[in-house]
Amino acid sequence: MRANKGLAGLIAGDTAISKVDVSTSSLWYRGYDINELCEKTSFLEVAYLLLNNDLPNIAQLKSFEEFEKENRDIPDILYDLFKSAPKYGHPMDLLNQSVSILGSVDEKNILGTNSQEENLIKSMLLISKMPTIVANSYRLSQGLKAIKPDKNLSYSENFLSMILGKEVKDSLSVKTFDTSMILYAEHGYNASTFSARVTAATLSDLYSSVSTAIGTLKGPLHGGANEQVMYMLKEIGSANRAEKITLEKIRNKEKIMGFGHRLYRTGDSRTGVMKKLGKELATKLGIHIWHDISDIMEKTMIEEKSIYPNLDFPAASAYYLLGIPIELYTPIFAASRVTGWAAHIIEQHNDNKLIRPSCDYIGPSSRNVQPISKREL
């Protein structure tokens, strides 16, 4: 019997962090419905939840927020890296290098020291510093001025302001961005999370495990899909062309980014709230083209293939309306998902078993080595 390609349908472990309920197309973070979390909490509340098993009370949230604000700055060695980076380099590569460097300059990051307490501190440091890395690695590599983090702003206000190079005061923009961070924070044993757990299972440190996950997330079949969605929408360019081009892609058996999901078959539970906020933003700005194209593509894909959009589809147009450079969509995803990665790394370290699956060999049977003079070209 051949192995399941992509490990589809195989159970690789247990987790108490999140649940994707396929029967109801719903997502739960530690028992809380994702849509209720989006309605009633902030991203940092959700980050606390993922790391600490439950939502914070007022005092716990205040302490968590203060830690995040006080640790947003990054070492000068990273700014030197950003300045020397080529403009054509992908921001995910700079993010990956930066996380590794943070691990090397952390005096307490000694190999083998993976206690829950130490891992929690490392996790909180990455949550605090990754927005500064994402924003300024891009800005400096593009010849723009670095923006220092502002301790007077909330997490999402600060992150979005650093990216755009100006303070963002619009509440809808901040809410849209913060909600996207909640939605991207965690999603079970996805590819990047599983790769992080594989690295953690060797008893490597949290920084190295996150670096592994970043490399996995970079791929267009995972985190990179949100970038490809926006490039696709721009290529279509007009609602009049949306149905025709979607049908052509279907006929040509092209992969249409932002549609389909390994787990969800009747719709991604995360898309509704993101689509709603994106359309509210579009109405406020008077820019409807991207949602007009998206609505036609969604209708066509459901009618023709019964395939529904995933979170990357509405997030791409929302980020574009916020003025975020397309190259930063996936690094922003990483800055959110680091919360889920960290929770899984902690869970792995707390009950560890080396992850080392077997494989079936399907290559040639026994062969004799011929002298090089007798080997055919």
Side-chain angles (χ1 to χ4, degrees):
M1 181 182 294
R2 294 292 296 273
N4 288 14
K5 277 194 171 183
L7 305 182
L10 298 181
I11 303 299
D14 299 323
T15 183
I17 300 168
S18 71
K19 177 185 178 182
V20 179
D21 191 334
V22 178
S23 64
T24 59
S25 292
S26 58
L27 174 63
W28 305 77
Y29 291 175
R30 296 200 185 275
Y32 293 100
D33 179 76
I34 186 66
N35 289 300
E36 189 175 8
L37 288 171
C38 287
E39 180 185 352
K40 298 179 180 179
T41 71
S42 67
F43 171 67
L44 284 187
E45 287 178 79
V46 170
Y48 185 98
L49 163 68
L50 293 173
L51 294 177
N52 296 282
N53 304 321
D54 207 345
L55 289 166
N57 58 33
I58 294 174
Q60 289 168 332
L61 179 60
K62 182 179 179 181
S63 176
F64 196 75
E65 289 175 334
E66 287 177 352
F67 183 98
E68 187 272 323
K69 288 180 178 179
E70 291 300 320
N71 288 281
R72 289 173 176 174
D73 289 323
I74 56 177
D76 289 340
I77 188 174
L78 293 185
Y79 284 108
D80 293 337
L81 170 66
F82 304 157
K83 291 174 184 176
S84 62
K87 289 185 178 181
Y88 57 81
H90 198 286
M92 285 293 279
D93 294 327
L94 285 178
L95 179 58
N96 207 335
Q97 294 172 59
S98 298
V99 169
S100 293
I101 291 172
L102 287 178
S104 68
V105 300
D106 185 344
E107 295 180 358
K108 296 183 179 180
N109 187 40
I110 302 170
L111 192 61
T113 57
N114 295 320
S115 71
Q116 179 159 332
E117 181 182 3
E118 290 168 322
N119 276 338
L120 277 171
I121 293 173
K122 294 172 186 177
S123 303
M124 291 165 66
L125 287 172
L126 284 179
I127 291 170
S128 305
K129 296 180 186 302
M130 281 179 70
T132 309
I133 294 169
V134 169
N136 284 324
S137 63
Y138 179 79
R139 294 185 64 82
L140 287 174
S141 70
Q142 298 300 307
L144 301 171
K145 182 181 178 182
I147 302 293
K148 291 290 185 180
D150 188 340
K151 297 178 183 179
N152 296 314
L153 301 178
S154 71
Y155 173 90
S156 287
E157 287 173 333
N158 173 66
F159 196 172
L160 195 52
S161 296
M162 284 193 297
I163 291 171
L164 301 180
K166 59 182 180 180
E167 186 173 334
V168 179
K169 298 181 180 180
D170 177 58
S171 60
L172 177 58
S173 295
V174 174
K175 174 63 175 175
T176 301
F177 185 80
D178 196 73
T179 299
S180 78
M181 298 294 282
I182 293 174
L183 294 170
Y184 272 126
E186 161 60 11
H187 208 250
Y189 268 35
N190 57 83
S192 58
T193 295
F194 185 65
S195 69
R197 292 192 74 132
V198 170
T199 300
T202 69
L203 296 185
S204 189
D205 62 280
L206 186 136
Y207 293 102
S208 295
S209 302
V210 169
S211 182
T212 298
I214 292 171
T216 307
L217 189 71
K218 181 183 176 184
L221 292 185
H222 190 14
N226 52 17
E227 297 179 22
Q228 298 305 316
V229 168
M230 198 61 227
Y231 288 128
M232 176 180 66
L233 294 178
K234 291 187 72 177
E235 179 187 357
I236 294 172
S238 166
N240 296 330
R241 287 160 38 88
E243 182 179 10
K244 177 176 179 291
I245 291 178
T246 304
L247 290 172
E248 287 176 355
K249 289 180 179 293
I250 292 172
R251 283 195 297 270
N252 295 334
K253 300 186 184 305
E254 294 180 38
K255 172 68 177 176
I256 301 179
M257 290 299 181
F259 284 89
H261 196 280
R262 176 71 67 86
L263 299 179
Y264 298 113
R265 297 303 180 194
T266 58
D268 186 334
S269 59
R270 301 167 295 174
T271 58
V273 63
M274 197 72 248
K275 184 177 179 180
K276 178 177 180 292
L277 287 169
K279 286 196 169 185
E280 288 178 12
L281 196 60
T283 298
K284 186 169 187 175
L285 296 172
I287 303 173
H288 298 281
I289 180 173
W290 310 119
H291 287 92
D292 290 343
I293 295 172
S294 297
D295 286 345
I296 294 170
M297 291 191 72
E298 180 177 346
K299 181 174 181 292
T300 305
M301 285 293 289
I302 293 173
E303 289 178 350
E304 296 291 325
K305 300 290 291 183
S306 295
I307 297 177
Y308 293 79
N310 56 49
L311 175 59
D312 291 323
F313 196 65
S317 52
Y319 281 173
Y320 197 75
L321 290 171
L322 288 171
I324 298 171
I326 297 175
E327 296 89 341
L328 290 187
Y329 291 7
T330 311
I332 291 169
F333 185 166
S336 166
R337 184 58 59 85
V338 70
T339 55
W341 293 335
H344 279 273
I345 293 164
I346 292 169
E347 189 176 63
Q348 184 69 40
H349 279 157
N350 287 350
D351 185 23
N352 190 55
K353 177 74 173 178
L354 180 66
I355 299 174
R356 204 292 190 190
S358 299
C359 61
D360 291 325
Y361 175 72
I362 60 171
S365 58
S366 178
R367 298 190 287 181
N368 296 321
V369 178
Q370 297 291 329
I372 194 168
S373 60
K374 293 185 179 181
R375 297 175 202 164
E376 296 181 359
L377 294 177

